[in-house]
Structures are given as C-alpha cells and as structure tokens.
Amino acid sequence: MAYERNNIQELSAYIPGEQPENGKVIKLNTNENPFPPGPAVEKVLGSLQASALRRYPPPTAKGLRESIAHLHGVADEQVIVTNGGDELLRLAITCFVEIDEAIAVVEPTYTLYETLAKTHGCGFIQFHLEEDWSLPQKLAENLNSSGAKLCLIPNPHAPSGTLTDAASLSALAQEFEGILLIDEAYVDFVDPQLKHDCIALLSHCDRVLLLRTFSKGYSLAGLRIAYGLGSRALIDPLYKTKDSYNTDYIAQKLAQAALEDQDYARGSWSFVIEQRRLLQKSLEAMGFSCVDSQSNFLLVSMPSQLNAQKLYLDLKAKDILVRYFAQPRLDNKLRISVGTADENKKLIDTIRQLLDQ
Amino acid sequence: MAYERNNIQELSAYIPGEQPENGKVIKLNTNENPFPPGPAVEKVLGSLQASALRRYPPPTAKGLRESIAHLHGVADEQVIVTNGGDELLRLAITCFVEIDEAIAVVEPTYTLYETLAKTHGCGFIQFHLEEDWSLPQKLAENLNSSGAKLCLIPNPHAPSGTLTDAASLSALAQEFEGILLIDEAYVDFVDPQLKHDCIALLSHCDRVLLLRTFSKGYSLAGLRIAYGLGSRALIDPLYKTKDSYNTDYIAQKLAQAALEDQDYARGSWSFVIEQRRLLQKSLEAMGFSCVDSQSNFLLVSMPSQLNAQKLYLDLKAKDILVRYFAQPRLDNKLRISVGTADENKKLIDTIRQLLDQ
C-alpha cells in the first residue's frame, strides 16, 4: 500500500549527476569548480573547535548574511541564506504558489524545477527557448495569459551556458505579473568585461528573486550554502517558510570566509573563463560545435558522424565523466564542465584517441 | 502587496529559543547537550581537507546511513538522513498529507508541529494529554474518527520529559489507521534500566516512522543532522520528496564519527541522567515540583508564591536562560535544560539568592 500523496507517488525522483567514489575519475559532469576553496577557507576550517557544535547555529546565519548584504550593497533583510540553491527553489515554490496555481519554465532548463513543482503538487507550464537558446518572443505576455505565479529562469542558462542580458530580464520582470526567480548559480563565471549585473533589478521591481550559490563560484558544493536576494515582500515570507535552523554552523563560517576573500574567488573565476575559451577552441578544432557559454560548462554538439550517448559511454569507460541528457534538443549534445588545465587536456587527448580508433 | 500563499501570510513564524551571543550566559533554554562532542569528532574535524568541499556530498549520506542502519539492526533502505529533525518533520507532512487532509498532535507539544502544518497549509487537529501528561484514553479511536493522516508524538514528551512505554505506542500504532511519527529527539536520555526500545515497532507496523537526532544525544546541534527510521513504504517516498543534496559533507563525516563512538555518547548520556536526578532533588528541596523526566530537561512547577515568567526574567537578568511558555498548562512552569554540574549548581545558587531577596 502507498501512503504518500498522489503527486509524490507519480513522481520520478530527481537523479543527481553521478558522484563516483573512484578517486581517479575526471569529473566533468556536475559543474563543480575545478579549484579547491582558497586559503581563507582552509584557515577557518583549521581553527574550528568541536565544542562549538553542541549549540544550535545562528538561525538566520547572521554573520554570513551581513557579509552577503555588504558585498551586494543591499539591506540584511533582503538576504536569505539557504541549504543550497535547492532549498531556495523549493521555498519559493512552497511559499508563493498554491497547489492549484502553476510555475512556468522555458525548456530545456534545469530538470530539478519540474521535480520541485511535482513534489509540491502545483502546475508546471513549459515555454520553449528559441533555436539560438534565447528567451522566446512575447514571453511576459504569454506568462501572464498562462496565469503562472512564479517563473524560474536560470541565467546563465543551464544547460546551454548562454547569458540573457540584464535589460531583457528587467523588461520581463516589469511586464510579468508574477514572481521572477533568476537562478544565478553560474553568474560568477560571466566574463567581467560584459559588466553583467542583475542586482540593480531589485530596486526597480519587488517581484524579482535572485538565487546565488557557494557551490560553483566558491568551490563549496560540499557545504550546501546558497542565498536569495530580493525585496522584503519576498524575503520575509521565505523566512517564515524555511526550517528553523536550515544551515549549519560550519557551513556558515566557511562560506563567510570564502565570500570575504573576493580576490581568491575572482582569480578562480578568471582561470575558469580562460580554460573555457581554450577548451572550446580545442573542441571546435576537432569538429565539435559549442554554444557560447558564460558559465563553467560547455554544451557541445556532435559532428554528424558521432553519437553523443556513445561518446558519453566511451569517455566514462576511460574514467572521464561528462553529462548526457536523453531529451529533445539535447540528445545529440554533451554538457562538459570546464576542468583544470590538466583535466581539460586529458579530455581532449582522450576524445582524440576515441575519434582515431 | 503580499505575494505569499494565504496560509503563509497568516502564519506566525516559529520562534526558536534565544541564542545569545554573550559567551558568559548559562544556556539552559534549548536542551542542548551540556557536553562537547567527543574525541572521535575532534579527530575527524582536525583531519578534514578543504579541497574535499568543492565536490557535491553523497546525496543519500551513504557512509553515515550505513552506520546508522548497522547500529539499529535495520536495512540501509529503512534509514533517511535529514538536515536536522526539522527537515524530517517537514518531509513527513509534505510527503504524506494532502493540504485538504490533517495532521494530529496531543497538546501541549513541540510548538513547531503546528507551524509546519500551517506552512504546508493542511489541517491541524489537537487532542489533549491527561493531567499526568500521559496519552489520552481512546486516542487511536479518536484519531481514526478525526481522519488524521499523520500523528506526531514526541517521546520522551516535550516539554514535560515524560516517557510513554513502547507497548502503549505499539498498541496505538496498530489501531491508528494513519502514519504514526514518534519524535525520539530525546530518547538517548532515557534511563537504560527501563530498556525502552521502539525500534522493534518497525517490524510490526509499516506505518511507524521514528525520528532520531544528533542535536541532543550526540552534542551536534550546530551541524543539523537527524534521521528517520521506518518501512520502505515510508522511507522511499521521503527520498523522492527531499532536496537532492540535503545534508553536507562535513556534517555527514562528523555525525558518523560521533555515532561510531557509542562509548563516549553513552558516557555523556549517563552523566546527564545523573545530573537530572541531582537537579530535580535540589529544586524539590526548594519547594518546586518536577515532572519525572526521561529527557535532558525538567519541567518545573512553581511553588504557589512564585510567578514563572518573573523567575524566567530574573534568571535572565543574572545571565541564566531557561524556557518560559506563555500557554495553557505551561504558564506556571519553566522548562530547564540539564547543564553541567557547575551550571546546575550556579542555577540552584542563583534561584536560592532570588528566593531570599
């Protein structure tokens, strides 16, 4: 007999990317940062006392929250710290969307969004990206007609890596009558020359919620720390909805150390941007084509004679993991995370060997 | 304008116990363990490498889950590791209870249960404990008539500390047609001579879910690690409902170290049990009366001339925090966590001074 709600019973669980225990695997499948956290994080980690753990952590992650607010020039009350980006996404849905309402996305997109909607039991409306991965025409108008309460847009986009500029998102936010959640999980890897910045949207529109995470840009995926930025009209009710102590003491301390060492973080982002450029060049030289990415991964289309799923399996057999999605528009492509210079070289050399066979 | 769902708008946020930043405060208000985590936790904490944090953590907390299953003699698949007990409570509600169904509790109880029901938007049915804090007569029958889908029972009970024996809970579980969640947050502090054990219920009834936590018995409140034990009929859908990476790498590692050092844990539980006995004796000698507690706190009734709220405030002014609840049956009582021998002595001496004034 099944005891769970019908929507959970019908749900296929979200499948996270593979996390092999084999240490020799080159892991380019889940968009982790190829660099370790910096010396500031190491120092705080080395200074932690076990005795501090017997107490409950600050329930609103006070110290970290203040550092985040300071970095972005917003009020502390505009920041909510969450147990990874997953928690913020779930909170936004459960806080703002009744189960007889719906969220909207623009496909293809981060597959977790659909799982979260189905877990909540609300509706799920799909629009479709243009052929060049840009947002569709008249999106705001169509969102309004659809009655969507919340729209989730990853930017840079996953899994293509493309960036929608802030002006377009501002126009969308102004016209869309629901809440616009811009999932900026990968925003740290945008080329600084583009001067891309969506923080300013917060002062123009109280229906915009930005998601940032320490998992990618700050090399702390293991810690589960992310945050939301928005108006108090959005942040206050999210606080009421979250678990009372949602983030842990050590994660708060280490994330704060990472955030406050902007020099180290920016250095690692520059390196990823440079490696992304080199990796794209090498792949294109072998006949692959890549979508121009502002993220720490590349969406790579196969030359006509190659099958993406076969290449994924061949690479896996050589201990290199990349991501294959068996779904429309993506099934002739692989999503490859940008690794260290050595990892990227190993990837290129291995693909070359496979092509030569 | 409010954007959140009506149920969230109407909700008063759960107020966690005060967490003072002033280090000299004696904190007997949130039932933390008075002892630090043991040497096994210190050792693992000292050996952690920051570089491990750039990767996502094991999504099901594999190593920790296996240790938990081994300790309790259940299958790995009967264990779900969660981000504190709060997460397991929330998951149980959102996974099993439609918003037009209801959860049931027996008042007074842990106040978070009501917040979680209101956050989900489902109904909340209250029964009432007998005068001696025992479960009411015909509870299963009344639960069945009420149509409650899930019943939450803390055992040992919060905030009285009383224990309901396993046979009574087994009878309740057999007769109640919904899911019985037994919140065993404080079970580690039950006198071992009682040989209390609810794990055996799991093999008789697939509708029982047990909650255990590292926050109290293992002195790791700062880490946010708890777990659920139950049949696969309950655990499998909880896995589908949880956030994809719900617990972090460091928390998993330290909790596993704490769990595997049962000698240290049992030593700290014995000490708490002994201090509880001494504290109760001292309070009773001053005219207070205490409910017999099997937890790490005492629910203390005032002698007739004393006002509980005033004593709470007077103690707070002397840097001793205890818990006062302004609600029926509790407003002439204080809930006092058992501290170290020194903390308990300081508490008794301070109360004595206040009474002498």
Side-chain angles (χ1 to χ4, degrees):
Chain A
M1 173 173 171
Y3 299 112
E4 65 271 30
R5 294 160 64 203
N6 291 335
N7 56 311
I8 309 282
Q9 208 176 330
E10 286 158 14
L11 178 71
S12 306
Y14 174 75
I15 310 288
E18 296 159 270
Q19 300 289 354
E21 288 175 51
N22 175 352
K24 68 176 183 168
V25 169
I26 294 182
K27 214 176 151 297
L28 303 174
N29 66 328
T30 49
N31 300 339
E32 286 135 335
N33 197 311
F35 300 103
V41 172
E42 271 179 39
K43 192 175 159 200
V44 173
L45 180 59
S47 73
L48 290 170
Q49 299 294 318
S51 58
L53 300 176
R54 74 177 186 85
R55 293 268 174 98
Y56 281 94
T60 61
K62 187 168 185 291
L64 173 58
R65 188 187 191 194
E66 287 167 359
S67 287
I68 292 166
H70 179 76
L71 177 72
H72 295 302
V74 300
D76 296 353
E77 293 74 16
Q78 291 185 268
V79 179
I80 182 167
V81 178
T82 59
N83 189 42
D86 291 1
E87 187 191 10
L88 185 66
L89 295 167
R90 171 176 49 77
L91 286 178
I93 294 173
T94 58
C95 180
F96 299 119
V97 187
E98 301 280 0
I99 62 169
D100 57 3
E101 294 180 322
I103 70 162
V105 304
V106 190
E107 290 286 341
T109 194
Y110 182 28
T111 50
L112 181 69
Y113 300 157
E114 182 172 1
T115 306
L116 291 173
K118 291 189 173 168
T119 304
H120 185 47
C122 69
F124 183 72
I125 301 167
Q126 299 174 68
F127 295 93
H128 295 276
L129 290 172
E130 301 290 345
E131 274 305 305
D132 66 354
W133 305 97
S134 64
L135 293 177
Q137 300 294 311
K138 299 191 180 175
L139 177 59
E141 195 180 321
N142 290 329
L143 282 168
N144 289 338
S145 323
S146 77
K149 184 74 184 290
L150 170 70
C151 176
L152 305 176
I153 304 265
N155 191 51
H157 177 251
S160 75
T162 53
L163 185 75
T164 300
D165 63 58
S168 306
L169 290 169
S170 178
L172 175 63
Q174 301 288 344
E175 194 180 344
F176 173 42
E177 291 157 4
I179 296 161
L180 179 63
L181 189 159
I182 306 173
D183 179 345
E184 297 194 300
Y186 299 104
V187 80
D188 297 320
F189 305 108
V190 174
D191 188 336
Q193 295 182 6
L194 296 178
K195 299 192 185 303
H196 176 78
D197 180 10
C198 280
I199 305 278
L201 268 64
L202 302 181
S203 35
H204 302 312
C205 183
D206 75 351
R207 299 185 311 281
V208 172
L209 191 60
L210 301 180
L211 180 158
R212 298 284 186 107
T213 179
F214 287 85
S215 296
K216 318 288 184 185
Y218 293 92
S219 309
L220 292 175
L223 284 187
R224 320 309 305 122
I225 291 278
Y227 56 97
L229 301 171
S231 66
R232 290 200 56 175
L234 300 184
I235 299 294
D236 286 354
L238 289 173
Y239 266 101
K240 290 207 281 183
T241 314
K242 80 174 184 68
D243 291 344
S244 36
Y245 299 98
N246 60 328
T247 62
D248 83 51
Y249 173 82
I250 293 180
Q252 290 179 24
K253 287 282 179 203
L254 299 188
Q256 188 171 351
L259 189 87
E260 291 175 358
D261 189 357
Q262 284 291 307
D263 286 348
Y264 179 85
R266 286 173 196 280
S268 87
W269 305 339
S270 296
F271 204 93
V272 167
I273 292 168
E274 175 61 9
Q275 284 298 312
R276 177 176 74 206
R277 191 183 64 77
L278 295 172
L279 181 60
Q280 177 166 358
K281 211 169 137 186
S282 303
L283 287 164
E284 288 176 347
M286 289 193 287
F288 295 90
S289 62
C290 300
V291 183
D292 277 329
S293 171
Q294 292 296 328
S295 185
N296 70 335
F297 56 81
L298 291 168
L299 186 65
V300 182
S301 293
M302 301 297 107
S304 55
Q305 76 279 16
L306 279 188
N307 175 289
Q309 188 173 22
K310 181 170 186 308
L311 181 56
Y312 154 74
L313 292 169
D314 288 348
L315 285 169
K316 189 173 173 177
K318 302 267 186 191
D319 284 332
I320 299 180
L321 272 184
V322 299
R323 193 79 182 256
Y324 170 71
F325 299 95
Q327 65 182 75
R329 288 193 70 172
L330 298 174
D331 54 4
N332 69 335
K333 298 178 174 59
L334 293 177
R335 194 195 66 188
I336 302 179
S337 309
V338 176
T340 60
D342 279 354
E343 289 172 332
N344 299 336
K345 183 173 180 312
K346 185 81 191 292
L347 169 75
I348 294 296
D349 290 349
T350 307
I351 293 178
R352 191 169 288 127
Q353 284 167 23
L354 290 168
L355 296 187
D356 287 349
Q357 275 170 8
Chain B
M1 172 171 171
Y3 299 112
E4 66 271 29
R5 294 161 64 204
N6 291 335
N7 56 310
I8 310 281
Q9 207 175 328
E10 287 158 15
L11 178 71
S12 307
Y14 173 75
I15 310 287
E18 295 159 88
Q19 300 288 354
E21 288 176 50
N22 175 353
K24 68 176 184 169
V25 169
I26 294 181
K27 215 175 150 300
L28 304 174
N29 66 327
T30 49
N31 301 340
E32 286 136 333
N33 196 310
F35 300 102
V41 172
E42 271 179 39
K43 192 175 161 201
V44 173
L45 181 60
S47 73
L48 291 170
Q49 299 294 316
S51 58
L53 301 176
R54 74 178 186 85
R55 293 267 175 99
Y56 282 93
T60 60
K62 188 167 184 291
L64 173 58
R65 189 187 191 195
E66 288 167 359
S67 287
I68 292 166
H70 180 75
L71 177 71
H72 295 301
V74 299
D76 296 355
E77 292 75 15
Q78 291 184 268
V79 179
I80 182 167
V81 177
T82 60
N83 189 42
D86 291 1
E87 186 191 10
L88 184 67
L89 295 168
R90 171 176 49 76
L91 286 178
I93 295 173
T94 57
C95 180
F96 299 119
V97 186
E98 301 282 0
I99 63 169
D100 58 2
E101 296 179 321
I103 70 161
V105 304
V106 190
E107 290 287 343
T109 193
Y110 183 26
T111 51
L112 182 70
Y113 299 157
E114 183 171 2
T115 306
L116 291 172
K118 291 189 173 168
T119 304
H120 185 46
C122 68
F124 183 72
I125 301 168
Q126 299 174 67
F127 296 92
H128 295 277
L129 290 171
E130 302 290 344
E131 273 306 304
D132 66 354
W133 305 97
S134 64
L135 292 178
Q137 298 295 312
K138 299 190 181 176
L139 178 58
E141 196 179 320
N142 290 330
L143 282 167
N144 288 339
S145 324
S146 77
K149 184 75 184 290
L150 170 70
C151 176
L152 305 176
I153 304 265
N155 192 50
H157 177 252
S160 74
T162 53
L163 184 75
T164 300
D165 62 59
S168 305
L169 290 169
S170 177
L172 174 62
Q174 301 288 346
E175 193 180 344
F176 173 42
E177 290 157 6
I179 296 162
L180 179 64
L181 189 160
I182 306 172
D183 178 345
E184 297 194 300
Y186 299 103
V187 79
D188 298 321
F189 304 109
V190 174
D191 187 335
Q193 294 182 7
L194 296 178
K195 300 191 183 305
H196 176 78
D197 180 9
C198 280
I199 305 278
L201 268 63
L202 301 180
S203 34
H204 302 312
C205 182
D206 76 351
R207 299 185 312 278
V208 171
L209 190 60
L210 300 181
L211 180 158
R212 298 285 186 108
T213 179
F214 287 84
S215 296
K216 319 289 184 183
Y218 294 92
S219 309
L220 292 175
L223 284 187
R224 321 308 306 123
I225 292 278
Y227 56 97
L229 302 171
S231 65
R232 290 199 57 175
L234 301 184
I235 299 295
D236 285 354
L238 289 172
Y239 266 102
K240 290 207 280 182
T241 315
K242 81 174 184 70
D243 291 344
S244 35
Y245 298 99
N246 60 328
T247 61
D248 83 50
Y249 173 82
I250 294 181
Q252 290 179 23
K253 287 282 181 203
L254 299 188
Q256 188 172 351
L259 188 88
E260 291 174 357
D261 189 357
Q262 283 291 308
D263 285 348
Y264 179 85
R266 286 174 195 279
S268 87
W269 304 341
S270 294
F271 203 92
V272 168
I273 292 169
E274 174 62 8
Q275 284 298 313
R276 177 176 74 207
R277 191 182 65 76
L278 295 172
L279 182 60
Q280 177 167 356
K281 208 168 139 186
S282 302
L283 287 165
E284 288 177 346
M286 288 194 288
F288 295 90
S289 62
C290 300
V291 183
D292 276 330
S293 171
Q294 292 296 327
S295 184
N296 70 335
F297 55 82
L298 291 169
L299 186 64
V300 182
S301 293
M302 300 296 107
S304 55
Q305 77 280 16
L306 279 187
N307 175 291
Q309 188 174 21
K310 181 169 186 307
L311 182 57
Y312 155 73
L313 292 169
D314 287 348
L315 285 170
K316 189 173 174 178
K318 302 267 185 190
D319 284 332
I320 299 180
L321 273 183
V322 299
R323 194 78 181 258
Y324 170 71
F325 300 94
Q327 65 182 76
R329 288 192 70 172
L330 297 174
D331 55 3
N332 70 333
K333 298 177 175 58
L334 293 176
R335 193 196 67 186
I336 302 178
S337 309
V338 176
T340 60
D342 278 354
E343 289 172 332
N344 298 337
K345 182 174 181 312
K346 185 81 192 291
L347 170 75
I348 293 296
D349 290 348
T350 307
I351 294 179
R352 191 168 288 129
Q353 283 166 24
L354 290 167
L355 296 187
D356 286 349
Q357 276 172 4

